[in-house]
Amino acid sequence: MSNPLSGTLPQPTGRYDTIRALLRAGKNDEAIVQLCAITVSDPQDLVARELLFDAFFQKRDWEPALVLAEELNRHQPGNARLEKARIATLTNLKRYDETIVQASRYLERHGEDLTILDTLKVATYYTGRTNEAIRYGQRALDLRDAEACHSPPPFALKEPDGPAIGNERHFIFALGNRAFLQLRSHDQPRAQPDGISRLDLPILCRRHRRAGLRRLPA
């Protein structure tokens, strides 16, 4: 399982190579045993603590992962990477109210980030704040659009089989087990049938989206 800290740590030669190999192989329990021994003998070894966080996160053992994420943030306040690790752990614990607080602070401190916007989309949805979830989802799509404008899609776009849905551009994104479709004209979103709970649309610049969309099932 991927984790928010993997590959971002300083790489001291030799000392942690075996442990990193264990983590890459998914042998999290063996890594935890070795890392706990290191952190007991040297509580100030932050590299070992980050690797220990990785191990618990990969194991999906969220409670000890959160304890470590909190400790790491206390030692290195304002570190965007560690803040994202804490936010990811809170999300996996389904502590959505705390997730919203921490993720909102992240955006204030570090600026917009696609991962954090997606996290806020999910957390606000599951706390019943659907309009906010849609707003965060729309902003994430806008940022992806901007990126796509600078990187044309590596495939040929085809004309749609039928007319576009309505006269306005639409966008779609998944929220929980349902998909929401919203008009660019800020009409109220309307939930689509559960049969389209997950959609994998190409990330396209707005000028290409009309050609990339297909008519939804009735």
Side-chain angles (χ1 to χ4, degrees):
M1 176 182 177
S2 62
N3 60 70
L5 294 184
S6 180
T8 63
L9 300 172
Q11 303 284 321
T13 304
R15 182 175 186 185
Y16 301 106
D17 287 353
T18 300
I19 295 172
R20 287 192 172 94
L22 290 172
L23 292 173
R24 287 193 297 271
K27 298 180 179 180
N28 300 306
D29 288 326
E30 294 179 45
I32 288 169
V33 170
Q34 295 188 34
L35 289 164
C36 283
I38 294 172
T39 56
V40 168
S41 62
D42 185 2
Q44 302 306 312
D45 190 333
L46 297 182
V47 175
R49 285 187 176 276
E50 289 195 27
L51 287 169
L52 187 57
F53 168 86
D54 281 355
F56 281 119
F57 194 95
Q58 289 186 172
K59 191 181 175 183
R60 305 178 69 85
D61 197 346
W62 309 124
E63 292 289 353
L66 181 61
V67 170
L68 286 160
E70 297 285 8
E71 288 181 359
L72 290 164
N73 275 277
R74 283 195 295 272
H75 281 287
Q76 302 177 63
N79 185 310
R81 174 173 55 82
L82 297 177
E83 288 179 17
K84 289 177 79 170
R86 176 172 56 193
I87 291 165
T89 310
L90 285 169
T91 304
N92 281 300
L93 281 164
K94 304 187 188 305
R95 290 165 59 169
Y96 295 123
D97 288 324
E98 294 169 76
T99 297
I100 292 168
V101 171
Q102 295 295 332
S104 298
R105 288 177 182 168
Y106 181 98
L107 294 181
E108 292 173 4
R109 293 171 181 167
H110 306 291
E112 289 183 317
D113 178 278
L114 280 171
T115 301
I116 299 300
L117 288 170
D118 285 338
T119 298
L120 281 166
K121 177 187 72 178
V122 172
T124 50
Y125 173 74
Y126 279 115
T127 52
R129 297 149 69 173
T130 306
N131 287 337
E132 288 184 58
I134 290 170
R135 178 168 58 84
Y136 286 121
Q138 177 173 335
R139 182 57 187 156
L141 283 175
D142 288 342
L143 293 179
R144 289 186 171 98
D145 274 347
E147 290 181 0
C149 285
H150 298 292
S151 303
F155 49 81
L157 294 173
K158 297 180 180 179
E159 288 299 319
D161 297 330
I165 308 168
N167 295 322
E168 300 287 342
R169 287 192 177 92
H170 299 68
F171 71 90
I172 302 168
F173 57 94
L175 281 174
N177 293 322
R178 309 190 78 182
F180 282 78
L181 179 150
Q182 175 154 344
L183 300 177
R184 287 288 183 186
S185 57
H186 305 294
D187 288 349
Q188 286 297 314
R190 49 194 172 86
Q192 295 300 307
D194 291 336
I196 54 167
S197 59
R198 295 190 67 82
L199 298 172
D200 184 18
L201 297 178
I203 297 173
L204 302 173
C205 183
R206 280 197 188 92
R207 66 176 180 268
H208 297 315
R209 183 176 282 127
R210 183 165 183 160
L213 285 173
R214 294 291 183 268
R215 181 180 294 278
L216 295 174

PDB file of all heavy atoms in Angstrom, residues 44-79:
ATOM      1  N   GLN A  44      15.248  10.221  19.634  1.00  0.00           N
ATOM      2  CA  GLN A  44      15.364  11.400  18.770  1.00  0.00           C
ATOM      3  C   GLN A  44      15.627  11.045  17.312  1.00  0.00           C
ATOM      4  O   GLN A  44      15.807  11.945  16.482  1.00  0.00           O
ATOM      5  CB  GLN A  44      16.497  12.307  19.288  1.00  0.00           C
ATOM      6  CG  GLN A  44      16.308  12.776  20.716  1.00  0.00           C
ATOM      7  CD  GLN A  44      14.966  13.449  20.931  1.00  0.00           C
ATOM      8  OE1 GLN A  44      14.566  14.323  20.149  1.00  0.00           O
ATOM      9  NE2 GLN A  44      14.253  13.051  21.982  1.00  0.00           N
ATOM     10  N   ASP A  45      15.646   9.765  16.990  1.00  0.00           N
ATOM     11  CA  ASP A  45      15.881   9.337  15.609  1.00  0.00           C
ATOM     12  C   ASP A  45      14.596   9.526  14.805  1.00  0.00           C
ATOM     13  O   ASP A  45      13.726   8.653  14.754  1.00  0.00           O
ATOM     14  CB  ASP A  45      16.328   7.872  15.573  1.00  0.00           C
ATOM     15  CG  ASP A  45      16.809   7.440  14.195  1.00  0.00           C
ATOM     16  OD1 ASP A  45      16.357   8.035  13.188  1.00  0.00           O
ATOM     17  OD2 ASP A  45      17.634   6.513  14.116  1.00  0.00           O
ATOM     18  N   LEU A  46      14.471  10.689  14.167  1.00  0.00           N
ATOM     19  CA  LEU A  46      13.237  11.008  13.449  1.00  0.00           C
ATOM     20  C   LEU A  46      13.089  10.200  12.160  1.00  0.00           C
ATOM     21  O   LEU A  46      11.969   9.926  11.709  1.00  0.00           O
ATOM     22  CB  LEU A  46      13.181  12.503  13.144  1.00  0.00           C
ATOM     23  CG  LEU A  46      13.135  13.425  14.368  1.00  0.00           C
ATOM     24  CD1 LEU A  46      13.033  14.881  13.930  1.00  0.00           C
ATOM     25  CD2 LEU A  46      11.985  13.059  15.294  1.00  0.00           C
ATOM     26  N   VAL A  47      14.217   9.833  11.563  1.00  0.00           N
ATOM     27  CA  VAL A  47      14.140   8.997  10.355  1.00  0.00           C
ATOM     28  C   VAL A  47      13.510   7.658  10.695  1.00  0.00           C
ATOM     29  O   VAL A  47      12.618   7.166   9.979  1.00  0.00           O
ATOM     30  CB  VAL A  47      15.535   8.802   9.732  1.00  0.00           C
ATOM     31  CG1 VAL A  47      15.464   7.826   8.555  1.00  0.00           C
ATOM     32  CG2 VAL A  47      16.116  10.126   9.281  1.00  0.00           C
ATOM     33  N   ALA A  48      13.932   7.059  11.804  1.00  0.00           N
ATOM     34  CA  ALA A  48      13.350   5.783  12.221  1.00  0.00           C
ATOM     35  C   ALA A  48      11.864   5.949  12.534  1.00  0.00           C
ATOM     36  O   ALA A  48      11.051   5.071  12.220  1.00  0.00           O
ATOM     37  CB  ALA A  48      14.098   5.240  13.430  1.00  0.00           C
ATOM     38  N   ARG A  49      11.504   7.064  13.139  1.00  0.00           N
ATOM     39  CA  ARG A  49      10.094   7.287  13.469  1.00  0.00           C
ATOM     40  C   ARG A  49       9.254   7.453  12.191  1.00  0.00           C
ATOM     41  O   ARG A  49       8.115   6.980  12.139  1.00  0.00           O
ATOM     42  CB  ARG A  49       9.944   8.509  14.369  1.00  0.00           C
ATOM     43  CG  ARG A  49      10.389   8.239  15.800  1.00  0.00           C
ATOM     44  CD  ARG A  49      10.086   9.394  16.731  1.00  0.00           C
ATOM     45  NE  ARG A  49      10.452   9.030  18.091  1.00  0.00           N
ATOM     46  CZ  ARG A  49       9.700   8.341  18.934  1.00  0.00           C
ATOM     47  NH1 ARG A  49       8.503   7.930  18.529  1.00  0.00           N
ATOM     48  NH2 ARG A  49      10.117   8.042  20.146  1.00  0.00           N
ATOM     49  N   GLU A  50       9.784   8.109  11.187  1.00  0.00           N
ATOM     50  CA  GLU A  50       9.043   8.236   9.931  1.00  0.00           C
ATOM     51  C   GLU A  50       8.888   6.876   9.251  1.00  0.00           C
ATOM     52  O   GLU A  50       7.833   6.560   8.700  1.00  0.00           O
ATOM     53  CB  GLU A  50       9.730   9.234   9.006  1.00  0.00           C
ATOM     54  CG  GLU A  50       9.610  10.671   9.488  1.00  0.00           C
ATOM     55  CD  GLU A  50       9.975  11.682   8.416  1.00  0.00           C
ATOM     56  OE1 GLU A  50       9.821  11.370   7.218  1.00  0.00           O
ATOM     57  OE2 GLU A  50      10.421  12.778   8.779  1.00  0.00           O
ATOM     58  N   LEU A  51       9.949   6.079   9.288  1.00  0.00           N
ATOM     59  CA  LEU A  51       9.843   4.736   8.722  1.00  0.00           C
ATOM     60  C   LEU A  51       8.845   3.895   9.507  1.00  0.00           C
ATOM     61  O   LEU A  51       8.101   3.083   8.924  1.00  0.00           O
ATOM     62  CB  LEU A  51      11.217   4.062   8.706  1.00  0.00           C
ATOM     63  CG  LEU A  51      12.209   4.594   7.665  1.00  0.00           C
ATOM     64  CD1 LEU A  51      13.598   4.049   7.928  1.00  0.00           C
ATOM     65  CD2 LEU A  51      11.753   4.234   6.254  1.00  0.00           C
ATOM     66  N   LEU A  52       8.808   4.089  10.828  1.00  0.00           N
ATOM     67  CA  LEU A  52       7.839   3.359  11.649  1.00  0.00           C
ATOM     68  C   LEU A  52       6.417   3.796  11.304  1.00  0.00           C
ATOM     69  O   LEU A  52       5.501   2.971  11.229  1.00  0.00           O
ATOM     70  CB  LEU A  52       8.140   3.597  13.124  1.00  0.00           C
ATOM     71  CG  LEU A  52       7.333   2.780  14.141  1.00  0.00           C
ATOM     72  CD1 LEU A  52       7.488   1.282  13.893  1.00  0.00           C
ATOM     73  CD2 LEU A  52       7.777   3.134  15.569  1.00  0.00           C
ATOM     74  N   PHE A  53       6.242   5.091  11.072  1.00  0.00           N
ATOM     75  CA  PHE A  53       4.934   5.559  10.596  1.00  0.00           C
ATOM     76  C   PHE A  53       4.581   4.862   9.282  1.00  0.00           C
ATOM     77  O   PHE A  53       3.455   4.384   9.103  1.00  0.00           O
ATOM     78  CB  PHE A  53       4.948   7.078  10.394  1.00  0.00           C
ATOM     79  CG  PHE A  53       3.747   7.573   9.633  1.00  0.00           C
ATOM     80  CD1 PHE A  53       2.563   7.861  10.290  1.00  0.00           C
ATOM     81  CD2 PHE A  53       3.795   7.713   8.242  1.00  0.00           C
ATOM     82  CE1 PHE A  53       1.439   8.289   9.580  1.00  0.00           C
ATOM     83  CE2 PHE A  53       2.680   8.143   7.539  1.00  0.00           C
ATOM     84  CZ  PHE A  53       1.499   8.431   8.207  1.00  0.00           C
ATOM     85  N   ASP A  54       5.529   4.831   8.333  1.00  0.00           N
ATOM     86  CA  ASP A  54       5.279   4.155   7.051  1.00  0.00           C
ATOM     87  C   ASP A  54       4.816   2.722   7.265  1.00  0.00           C
ATOM     88  O   ASP A  54       3.876   2.250   6.606  1.00  0.00           O
ATOM     89  CB  ASP A  54       6.557   4.142   6.207  1.00  0.00           C
ATOM     90  CG  ASP A  54       6.822   5.469   5.514  1.00  0.00           C
ATOM     91  OD1 ASP A  54       5.967   6.366   5.611  1.00  0.00           O
ATOM     92  OD2 ASP A  54       7.881   5.596   4.875  1.00  0.00           O
ATOM     93  N   ALA A  55       5.480   2.026   8.180  1.00  0.00           N
ATOM     94  CA  ALA A  55       5.157   0.617   8.406  1.00  0.00           C
ATOM     95  C   ALA A  55       3.733   0.454   8.935  1.00  0.00           C
ATOM     96  O   ALA A  55       2.968  -0.397   8.461  1.00  0.00           O
ATOM     97  CB  ALA A  55       6.165   0.009   9.382  1.00  0.00           C
ATOM     98  N   PHE A  56       3.363   1.253   9.933  1.00  0.00           N
ATOM     99  CA  PHE A  56       2.000   1.161  10.463  1.00  0.00           C
ATOM    100  C   PHE A  56       0.969   1.601   9.426  1.00  0.00           C
ATOM    101  O   PHE A  56      -0.114   1.019   9.342  1.00  0.00           O
ATOM    102  CB  PHE A  56       1.874   2.009  11.730  1.00  0.00           C
ATOM    103  CG  PHE A  56       2.442   1.342  12.959  1.00  0.00           C
ATOM    104  CD1 PHE A  56       3.491   1.921  13.651  1.00  0.00           C
ATOM    105  CD2 PHE A  56       1.920   0.153  13.424  1.00  0.00           C
ATOM    106  CE1 PHE A  56       4.010   1.317  14.784  1.00  0.00           C
ATOM    107  CE2 PHE A  56       2.424  -0.471  14.567  1.00  0.00           C
ATOM    108  CZ  PHE A  56       3.479   0.120  15.244  1.00  0.00           C
ATOM    109  N   PHE A  57       1.296   2.626   8.643  1.00  0.00           N
ATOM    110  CA  PHE A  57       0.368   3.106   7.621  1.00  0.00           C
ATOM    111  C   PHE A  57       0.143   2.026   6.570  1.00  0.00           C
ATOM    112  O   PHE A  57      -0.996   1.744   6.179  1.00  0.00           O
ATOM    113  CB  PHE A  57       0.907   4.384   6.982  1.00  0.00           C
ATOM    114  CG  PHE A  57      -0.107   5.140   6.173  1.00  0.00           C
ATOM    115  CD1 PHE A  57      -0.836   6.180   6.736  1.00  0.00           C
ATOM    116  CD2 PHE A  57      -0.337   4.827   4.839  1.00  0.00           C
ATOM    117  CE1 PHE A  57      -1.787   6.885   5.989  1.00  0.00           C
ATOM    118  CE2 PHE A  57      -1.274   5.523   4.088  1.00  0.00           C
ATOM    119  CZ  PHE A  57      -2.009   6.552   4.668  1.00  0.00           C
ATOM    120  N   GLN A  58       1.224   1.411   6.094  1.00  0.00           N
ATOM    121  CA  GLN A  58       1.091   0.342   5.099  1.00  0.00           C
ATOM    122  C   GLN A  58       0.310  -0.843   5.654  1.00  0.00           C
ATOM    123  O   GLN A  58      -0.419  -1.519   4.921  1.00  0.00           O
ATOM    124  CB  GLN A  58       2.474  -0.127   4.646  1.00  0.00           C
ATOM    125  CG  GLN A  58       3.212   0.870   3.789  1.00  0.00           C
ATOM    126  CD  GLN A  58       4.524   0.329   3.229  1.00  0.00           C
ATOM    127  OE1 GLN A  58       5.137   0.975   2.403  1.00  0.00           O
ATOM    128  NE2 GLN A  58       4.962  -0.828   3.669  1.00  0.00           N
ATOM    129  N   LYS A  59       0.458  -1.072   6.960  1.00  0.00           N
ATOM    130  CA  LYS A  59      -0.256  -2.176   7.619  1.00  0.00           C
ATOM    131  C   LYS A  59      -1.715  -1.823   7.878  1.00  0.00           C
ATOM    132  O   LYS A  59      -2.493  -2.672   8.294  1.00  0.00           O
ATOM    133  CB  LYS A  59       0.449  -2.510   8.932  1.00  0.00           C
ATOM    134  CG  LYS A  59      -0.001  -3.794   9.597  1.00  0.00           C
ATOM    135  CD  LYS A  59       0.741  -4.009  10.908  1.00  0.00           C
ATOM    136  CE  LYS A  59       0.184  -5.240  11.618  1.00  0.00           C
ATOM    137  NZ  LYS A  59       0.839  -5.443  12.930  1.00  0.00           N
ATOM    138  N   ARG A  60      -2.076  -0.557   7.652  1.00  0.00           N
ATOM    139  CA  ARG A  60      -3.414  -0.049   7.921  1.00  0.00           C
ATOM    140  C   ARG A  60      -3.752  -0.090   9.403  1.00  0.00           C
ATOM    141  O   ARG A  60      -4.910  -0.245   9.806  1.00  0.00           O
ATOM    142  CB  ARG A  60      -4.476  -0.809   7.097  1.00  0.00           C
ATOM    143  CG  ARG A  60      -4.205  -0.815   5.599  1.00  0.00           C
ATOM    144  CD  ARG A  60      -5.235  -1.616   4.837  1.00  0.00           C
ATOM    145  NE  ARG A  60      -6.535  -0.963   4.855  1.00  0.00           N
ATOM    146  CZ  ARG A  60      -6.920  -0.016   4.008  1.00  0.00           C
ATOM    147  NH1 ARG A  60      -6.094   0.407   3.055  1.00  0.00           N
ATOM    148  NH2 ARG A  60      -8.117   0.521   4.096  1.00  0.00           N
ATOM    149  N   ASP A  61      -2.729   0.065  10.221  1.00  0.00           N
ATOM    150  CA  ASP A  61      -2.895   0.136  11.670  1.00  0.00           C
ATOM    151  C   ASP A  61      -2.892   1.624  12.017  1.00  0.00           C
ATOM    152  O   ASP A  61      -1.857   2.223  12.348  1.00  0.00           O
ATOM    153  CB  ASP A  61      -1.739  -0.610  12.359  1.00  0.00           C
ATOM    154  CG  ASP A  61      -2.048  -0.924  13.809  1.00  0.00           C
ATOM    155  OD1 ASP A  61      -3.017  -0.340  14.356  1.00  0.00           O
ATOM    156  OD2 ASP A  61      -1.320  -1.738  14.417  1.00  0.00           O
ATOM    157  N   TRP A  62      -4.073   2.228  11.929  1.00  0.00           N
ATOM    158  CA  TRP A  62      -4.152   3.685  11.893  1.00  0.00           C
ATOM    159  C   TRP A  62      -3.867   4.361  13.228  1.00  0.00           C
ATOM    160  O   TRP A  62      -3.309   5.461  13.247  1.00  0.00           O
ATOM    161  CB  TRP A  62      -5.531   4.113  11.374  1.00  0.00           C
ATOM    162  CG  TRP A  62      -5.955   3.470  10.099  1.00  0.00           C
ATOM    163  CD1 TRP A  62      -7.081   2.750   9.869  1.00  0.00           C
ATOM    164  CD2 TRP A  62      -5.256   3.499   8.846  1.00  0.00           C
ATOM    165  NE1 TRP A  62      -7.142   2.331   8.573  1.00  0.00           N
ATOM    166  CE2 TRP A  62      -6.037   2.767   7.914  1.00  0.00           C
ATOM    167  CE3 TRP A  62      -4.045   4.062   8.416  1.00  0.00           C
ATOM    168  CZ2 TRP A  62      -5.652   2.602   6.588  1.00  0.00           C
ATOM    169  CZ3 TRP A  62      -3.661   3.896   7.101  1.00  0.00           C
ATOM    170  CH2 TRP A  62      -4.452   3.172   6.196  1.00  0.00           C
ATOM    171  N   GLU A  63      -4.247   3.761  14.339  1.00  0.00           N
ATOM    172  CA  GLU A  63      -4.070   4.428  15.635  1.00  0.00           C
ATOM    173  C   GLU A  63      -2.599   4.693  15.957  1.00  0.00           C
ATOM    174  O   GLU A  63      -2.225   5.837  16.249  1.00  0.00           O
ATOM    175  CB  GLU A  63      -4.736   3.615  16.747  1.00  0.00           C
ATOM    176  CG  GLU A  63      -6.262   3.584  16.665  1.00  0.00           C
ATOM    177  CD  GLU A  63      -6.901   4.930  17.012  1.00  0.00           C
ATOM    178  OE1 GLU A  63      -6.184   5.854  17.451  1.00  0.00           O
ATOM    179  OE2 GLU A  63      -8.126   5.049  16.828  1.00  0.00           O
ATOM    180  N   PRO A  64      -1.721   3.691  15.928  1.00  0.00           N
ATOM    181  CA  PRO A  64      -0.305   4.003  16.168  1.00  0.00           C
ATOM    182  C   PRO A  64       0.291   4.894  15.084  1.00  0.00           C
ATOM    183  O   PRO A  64       1.185   5.700  15.363  1.00  0.00           O
ATOM    184  CB  PRO A  64       0.372   2.628  16.202  1.00  0.00           C
ATOM    185  CG  PRO A  64      -0.577   1.691  15.547  1.00  0.00           C
ATOM    186  CD  PRO A  64      -1.937   2.232  15.803  1.00  0.00           C
ATOM    187  N   ALA A  65      -0.210   4.773  13.849  1.00  0.00           N
ATOM    188  CA  ALA A  65       0.277   5.660  12.787  1.00  0.00           C
ATOM    189  C   ALA A  65      -0.052   7.110  13.119  1.00  0.00           C
ATOM    190  O   ALA A  65       0.778   8.013  12.924  1.00  0.00           O
ATOM    191  CB  ALA A  65      -0.344   5.271  11.446  1.00  0.00           C
ATOM    192  N   LEU A  66      -1.241   7.349  13.659  1.00  0.00           N
ATOM    193  CA  LEU A  66      -1.620   8.722  14.020  1.00  0.00           C
ATOM    194  C   LEU A  66      -0.770   9.252  15.166  1.00  0.00           C
ATOM    195  O   LEU A  66      -0.355  10.420  15.150  1.00  0.00           O
ATOM    196  CB  LEU A  66      -3.100   8.783  14.388  1.00  0.00           C
ATOM    197  CG  LEU A  66      -3.617  10.167  14.764  1.00  0.00           C
ATOM    198  CD1 LEU A  66      -3.454  11.144  13.608  1.00  0.00           C
ATOM    199  CD2 LEU A  66      -5.079  10.099  15.211  1.00  0.00           C
ATOM    200  N   VAL A  67      -0.504   8.413  16.160  1.00  0.00           N
ATOM    201  CA  VAL A  67       0.360   8.840  17.282  1.00  0.00           C
ATOM    202  C   VAL A  67       1.716   9.288  16.753  1.00  0.00           C
ATOM    203  O   VAL A  67       2.244  10.341  17.144  1.00  0.00           O
ATOM    204  CB  VAL A  67       0.523   7.696  18.302  1.00  0.00           C
ATOM    205  CG1 VAL A  67       1.604   8.052  19.334  1.00  0.00           C
ATOM    206  CG2 VAL A  67      -0.806   7.410  19.007  1.00  0.00           C
ATOM    207  N   LEU A  68       2.282   8.515  15.842  1.00  0.00           N
ATOM    208  CA  LEU A  68       3.577   8.866  15.259  1.00  0.00           C
ATOM    209  C   LEU A  68       3.490  10.124  14.411  1.00  0.00           C
ATOM    210  O   LEU A  68       4.379  10.983  14.451  1.00  0.00           O
ATOM    211  CB  LEU A  68       4.101   7.699  14.428  1.00  0.00           C
ATOM    212  CG  LEU A  68       4.621   6.509  15.253  1.00  0.00           C
ATOM    213  CD1 LEU A  68       4.650   5.243  14.421  1.00  0.00           C
ATOM    214  CD2 LEU A  68       6.011   6.810  15.801  1.00  0.00           C
ATOM    215  N   ALA A  69       2.414  10.261  13.622  1.00  0.00           N
ATOM    216  CA  ALA A  69       2.253  11.458  12.802  1.00  0.00           C
ATOM    217  C   ALA A  69       2.168  12.703  13.678  1.00  0.00           C
ATOM    218  O   ALA A  69       2.750  13.749  13.346  1.00  0.00           O
ATOM    219  CB  ALA A  69       1.005  11.326  11.930  1.00  0.00           C
ATOM    220  N   GLU A  70       1.455  12.608  14.799  1.00  0.00           N
ATOM    221  CA  GLU A  70       1.350  13.747  15.712  1.00  0.00           C
ATOM    222  C   GLU A  70       2.718  14.085  16.319  1.00  0.00           C
ATOM    223  O   GLU A  70       3.101  15.258  16.413  1.00  0.00           O
ATOM    224  CB  GLU A  70       0.343  13.446  16.826  1.00  0.00           C
ATOM    225  CG  GLU A  70      -1.089  13.233  16.353  1.00  0.00           C
ATOM    226  CD  GLU A  70      -1.781  14.538  15.977  1.00  0.00           C
ATOM    227  OE1 GLU A  70      -1.120  15.598  15.940  1.00  0.00           O
ATOM    228  OE2 GLU A  70      -2.989  14.490  15.696  1.00  0.00           O
ATOM    229  N   GLU A  71       3.463  13.069  16.712  1.00  0.00           N
ATOM    230  CA  GLU A  71       4.802  13.297  17.288  1.00  0.00           C
ATOM    231  C   GLU A  71       5.719  13.963  16.263  1.00  0.00           C
ATOM    232  O   GLU A  71       6.438  14.917  16.579  1.00  0.00           O
ATOM    233  CB  GLU A  71       5.409  11.971  17.755  1.00  0.00           C
ATOM    234  CG  GLU A  71       4.770  11.392  19.004  1.00  0.00           C
ATOM    235  CD  GLU A  71       5.437  10.098  19.408  1.00  0.00           C
ATOM    236  OE1 GLU A  71       6.383   9.648  18.716  1.00  0.00           O
ATOM    237  OE2 GLU A  71       5.013   9.513  20.427  1.00  0.00           O
ATOM    238  N   LEU A  72       5.693  13.463  15.046  1.00  0.00           N
ATOM    239  CA  LEU A  72       6.556  14.013  14.003  1.00  0.00           C
ATOM    240  C   LEU A  72       6.207  15.465  13.700  1.00  0.00           C
ATOM    241  O   LEU A  72       7.090  16.293  13.463  1.00  0.00           O
ATOM    242  CB  LEU A  72       6.455  13.153  12.741  1.00  0.00           C
ATOM    243  CG  LEU A  72       7.085  11.761  12.836  1.00  0.00           C
ATOM    244  CD1 LEU A  72       6.596  10.856  11.708  1.00  0.00           C
ATOM    245  CD2 LEU A  72       8.605  11.862  12.811  1.00  0.00           C
ATOM    246  N   ASN A  73       4.914  15.784  13.721  1.00  0.00           N
ATOM    247  CA  ASN A  73       4.511  17.169  13.486  1.00  0.00           C
ATOM    248  C   ASN A  73       4.927  18.083  14.630  1.00  0.00           C
ATOM    249  O   ASN A  73       5.237  19.259  14.403  1.00  0.00           O
ATOM    250  CB  ASN A  73       2.995  17.243  13.250  1.00  0.00           C
ATOM    251  CG  ASN A  73       2.604  16.973  11.818  1.00  0.00           C
ATOM    252  OD1 ASN A  73       2.655  17.861  10.969  1.00  0.00           O
ATOM    253  ND2 ASN A  73       2.233  15.732  11.519  1.00  0.00           N
ATOM    254  N   ARG A  74       4.935  17.560  15.851  1.00  0.00           N
ATOM    255  CA  ARG A  74       5.407  18.381  16.977  1.00  0.00           C
ATOM    256  C   ARG A  74       6.898  18.673  16.856  1.00  0.00           C
ATOM    257  O   ARG A  74       7.356  19.762  17.202  1.00  0.00           O
ATOM    258  CB  ARG A  74       5.109  17.680  18.304  1.00  0.00           C
ATOM    259  CG  ARG A  74       3.654  17.770  18.735  1.00  0.00           C
ATOM    260  CD  ARG A  74       3.483  17.397  20.203  1.00  0.00           C
ATOM    261  NE  ARG A  74       3.807  16.004  20.449  1.00  0.00           N
ATOM    262  CZ  ARG A  74       2.939  15.004  20.356  1.00  0.00           C
ATOM    263  NH1 ARG A  74       1.679  15.256  19.994  1.00  0.00           N
ATOM    264  NH2 ARG A  74       3.294  13.762  20.615  1.00  0.00           N
ATOM    265  N   HIS A  75       7.658  17.695  16.376  1.00  0.00           N
ATOM    266  CA  HIS A  75       9.105  17.882  16.225  1.00  0.00           C
ATOM    267  C   HIS A  75       9.440  18.784  15.041  1.00  0.00           C
ATOM    268  O   HIS A  75      10.466  19.469  15.049  1.00  0.00           O
ATOM    269  CB  HIS A  75       9.795  16.528  16.036  1.00  0.00           C
ATOM    270  CG  HIS A  75       9.979  15.767  17.316  1.00  0.00           C
ATOM    271  ND1 HIS A  75      10.902  16.116  18.276  1.00  0.00           N
ATOM    272  CD2 HIS A  75       9.341  14.662  17.793  1.00  0.00           C
ATOM    273  CE1 HIS A  75      10.843  15.273  19.283  1.00  0.00           C
ATOM    274  NE2 HIS A  75       9.907  14.372  19.020  1.00  0.00           N
ATOM    275  N   GLN A  76       8.599  18.764  14.002  1.00  0.00           N
ATOM    276  CA  GLN A  76       8.874  19.555  12.793  1.00  0.00           C
ATOM    277  C   GLN A  76       7.631  20.338  12.391  1.00  0.00           C
ATOM    278  O   GLN A  76       7.008  20.041  11.372  1.00  0.00           O
ATOM    279  CB  GLN A  76       9.320  18.625  11.656  1.00  0.00           C
ATOM    280  CG  GLN A  76      10.557  17.797  11.983  1.00  0.00           C
ATOM    281  CD  GLN A  76      10.913  16.850  10.861  1.00  0.00           C
ATOM    282  OE1 GLN A  76      11.243  17.253   9.750  1.00  0.00           O
ATOM    283  NE2 GLN A  76      10.843  15.550  11.140  1.00  0.00           N
ATOM    284  N   PRO A  77       7.243  21.325  13.181  1.00  0.00           N
ATOM    285  CA  PRO A  77       6.015  22.080  12.873  1.00  0.00           C
ATOM    286  C   PRO A  77       6.128  22.806  11.532  1.00  0.00           C
ATOM    287  O   PRO A  77       7.192  23.284  11.154  1.00  0.00           O
ATOM    288  CB  PRO A  77       5.919  23.074  14.044  1.00  0.00           C
ATOM    289  CG  PRO A  77       7.305  23.179  14.584  1.00  0.00           C
ATOM    290  CD  PRO A  77       7.940  21.849  14.377  1.00  0.00           C
ATOM    291  N   GLY A  78       5.014  22.852  10.831  1.00  0.00           N
ATOM    292  CA  GLY A  78       4.982  23.544   9.543  1.00  0.00           C
ATOM    293  C   GLY A  78       5.491  22.726   8.375  1.00  0.00           C
ATOM    294  O   GLY A  78       5.534  23.230   7.248  1.00  0.00           O
ATOM    295  N   ASN A  79       5.864  21.464   8.613  1.00  0.00           N
ATOM    296  CA  ASN A  79       6.356  20.605   7.541  1.00  0.00           C
ATOM    297  C   ASN A  79       5.164  20.079   6.740  1.00  0.00           C
ATOM    298  O   ASN A  79       4.360  19.289   7.240  1.00  0.00           O
ATOM    299  CB  ASN A  79       7.164  19.440   8.134  1.00  0.00           C
ATOM    300  CG  ASN A  79       7.806  18.569   7.079  1.00  0.00           C
ATOM    301  OD1 ASN A  79       7.172  18.122   6.143  1.00  0.00           O
ATOM    302  ND2 ASN A  79       9.099  18.320   7.244  1.00  0.00           N
TER     303      ASN A  79
END
